[in-house]
Amino acid sequence: MNLQEKSSEMKRIIYIVYLTCFLIFTACGNSAEPAQEEAEAHEEESPDRAELTAEQYQVAGITLGKPEMRNLSNMLTLTGKLDLPPQNMASVTAPLGGFIRKTEVLEGRFVKKGELLATIENPEFVTLQEDYLEARSRLDYLELEYKRQKELHEEQVTAAKTYQQTVAEYKSMQTRVEALQERLAIIGITNGSLRTGKIKRVLPLYAPLEGYITFVNADVGRYVAPTDVLFRIADTDHMHVELTVFEKDLATLRKGQKVHYSLPGETVVNHQATIYLIGKEISPERTVQVHAHMEDEDKDLVPGMYVQAQVALDNRQVLALPEAAVVQENNSNFIFLYTGQAKEGEAVMKQFRMVPIERGMEEGGFVQVALPAGVDTATNNFVTKGAHSLLAKMRNSEEEGHH
């Protein structure tokens, strides 16, 4: 073989070696891409998947189940207070004012209608009684004169003018006596109590209705004006719930709806009322008062007590899970789908996948859930208890993996 032939053979060998290396490198590169894609895909899937050993599954207290159709109501939360109708409340005043001479009433005391609350002294009482007695005496005289003049007028003995003047004076005095009687009745003095002619300077104030004393502003010796409220009385027999409703929620309410409410210090909503009246006037704060009758009235409750209430707006069948099945992360709601189990070495791992949901109405420990299309709720099982423990295990595992 000459030199030229040796050179050609060498070139051919180099070309074969180069081509072989190129093919091997290309094959390795192509085989790496699917592996990388698979790893990336696995990495993308891992944040929403979790695995538990049988022991972890038991410790987490996980229970599996299926969403079910339940009657849930959309609840409107309101605030309000206990109140009384106007006819069950009374403010006691001294109509003509005066000095308080006696009172033994304290806040919280129960009083009966007509019971003595206080006594008031006022010189004007004496003047008013004196005027009445004088007018009454004058009326008695004019009545006799009227009868005498009437007889004379009928016999045409006296002039018509004299008779007419007597009639006018008699009727005028009748009016004055009736007016004074009414003024005396306002301060508690009746016509019968003055027939003896005994004038009183101290007069009583009586309870106008039966109930509890809720306010006292009566110190012995103090002068009170006619406009001063001395006592307030509340008859708690017909207490009701007065709710404050914003105008945007008003259209959802109607007469007859049930109201569930709690009182201060109560953690359970165990009282019930029924909407009876819906106000027709919107306040400057854009609210309306709604009146609800209590199912079980309690006379020991105090008017003005704060209440927190919920009103069931509708009642329909929806797909629901227990509240414990729903977890929240990054302002989104999720549930866990049980995807089965796989053997890893000697251990059997139970596998789960997070499924995003839309959360709806809530009632009685259940929440409405809307799942993505394609998730079969009839055959698949979901975590109904222990979901928060499962989420914590997932996130802890991720942190350990990053470290």
Side-chain angles (χ1 to χ4, degrees), residues 201-252:
R201 61 184 176 83
V202 179
L203 297 176
L205 284 178
Y206 296 112
L209 53 79
E210 181 181 282
Y212 290 92
I213 301 291
T214 60
F215 173 80
V216 176
N217 184 31
D219 302 327
V220 173
R222 187 167 72 89
Y223 177 81
V224 294
T227 54
D228 292 340
V229 176
L230 305 182
F231 308 97
R232 286 198 187 96
I233 303 174
D235 178 5
T236 55
D237 274 349
H238 301 289
M239 199 175 296
H240 63 264
V241 179
E242 196 76 20
L243 300 171
T244 301
V245 181
F246 286 99
E247 62 174 328
K248 66 180 180 64
D249 299 320
L250 198 59
T252 63

Side-chain angles (χ1 to χ4, degrees), residues 35-162:
Q36 185 177 355
E37 288 175 1
E38 185 179 348
E40 288 175 356
H42 180 71
E43 189 176 346
E44 287 176 2
E45 291 175 0
S46 62
D48 67 346
R49 296 183 181 274
E51 290 184 336
L52 295 180
T53 64
E55 183 180 357
Q56 290 172 331
Y57 181 87
Q58 188 173 4
V59 170
I62 290 176
T63 303
L64 299 179
K66 294 180 173 60
E68 56 187 71
M69 300 301 291
R70 295 185 69 91
N71 285 324
L72 296 187
S73 299
N74 193 12
M75 306 299 288
L76 175 64
T77 301
L78 302 170
T79 59
K81 63 179 182 177
L82 299 184
D83 207 353
L84 288 169
Q87 66 269 24
N88 284 65
M89 298 182 289
S91 295
V92 181
T93 61
L96 297 182
F99 295 92
I100 298 174
R101 289 302 176 218
K102 179 183 177 183
T103 181
E104 296 179 355
V105 177
L106 297 175
E107 284 189 32
R109 178 180 163 185
F110 182 81
V111 294
K112 294 183 178 180
K113 183 177 181 179
E115 186 173 334
L116 179 67
L117 301 178
T119 56
I120 305 290
E121 181 181 6
N122 190 336
E124 191 176 346
F125 298 162
V126 177
T127 303
L128 192 57
Q129 293 170 83
E130 182 183 12
D131 291 345
Y132 171 77
L133 291 173
E134 288 179 355
R136 181 78 243 184
S137 178
R138 178 68 179 164
L139 180 63
D140 291 342
Y141 166 76
L142 288 175
E143 186 176 6
L144 294 173
E145 182 63 15
Y146 163 72
K147 290 178 180 179
R148 190 175 70 86
Q149 289 293 337
K150 184 178 181 182
E151 290 176 0
L152 294 174
H153 176 67
E154 289 173 350
E155 295 173 1
Q156 297 183 348
V157 174
T158 184
K161 182 178 180 181
T162 304

Side-chain angles (χ1 to χ4, degrees), residues 248-385:
K248 66 180 180 64
D249 299 320
L250 198 59
T252 63
L253 299 181
R254 64 184 183 277
K255 184 177 177 180
Q257 280 177 310
K258 295 297 180 183
V259 178
H260 300 273
Y261 66 95
S262 61
L263 300 170
E266 295 181 342
T267 56
V268 180
V269 180
N270 56 359
H271 303 283
Q272 188 167 295
T274 304
I275 293 179
Y276 182 70
L277 290 173
I278 298 176
K280 301 301 180 184
E281 182 176 346
I282 298 177
S283 71
E285 293 78 25
R286 313 306 300 172
T287 61
V288 173
Q289 297 303 113
V290 173
H291 173 108
H293 281 180
M294 301 163 64
E295 295 292 328
D296 298 311
E297 295 182 354
D298 187 347
K299 293 181 67 173
D300 293 331
L301 296 177
V302 179
M305 289 180 74
Y306 174 84
V307 300
Q308 195 159 20
Q310 290 184 325
V311 182
L313 301 182
D314 50 30
N315 199 336
R316 65 177 188 270
Q317 289 244 327
V318 294
L319 193 67
L321 278 169
E323 288 183 358
V326 181
V327 296
Q328 192 174 50
E329 189 176 53
N330 299 326
N331 297 322
S332 297
N333 294 292
F334 300 90
I335 59 174
F336 284 98
L337 168 67
Y338 176 63
T339 57
Q341 58 186 28
K343 196 167 184 179
E344 294 185 8
E346 296 297 323
V348 176
M349 308 295 291
K350 294 185 179 293
Q351 299 175 326
F352 304 90
R353 179 166 62 87
M354 287 177 72
V355 177
I357 60 149
E358 290 295 330
R359 187 171 184 149
M361 63 183 72
E362 303 173 27
E363 186 184 19
F366 284 82
V367 59
Q368 178 187 3
V369 293
L371 282 75
V375 179
D376 186 1
T377 59
T379 57
N380 288 321
N381 281 316
F382 298 83
V383 174
T384 57
K385 185 179 178 182

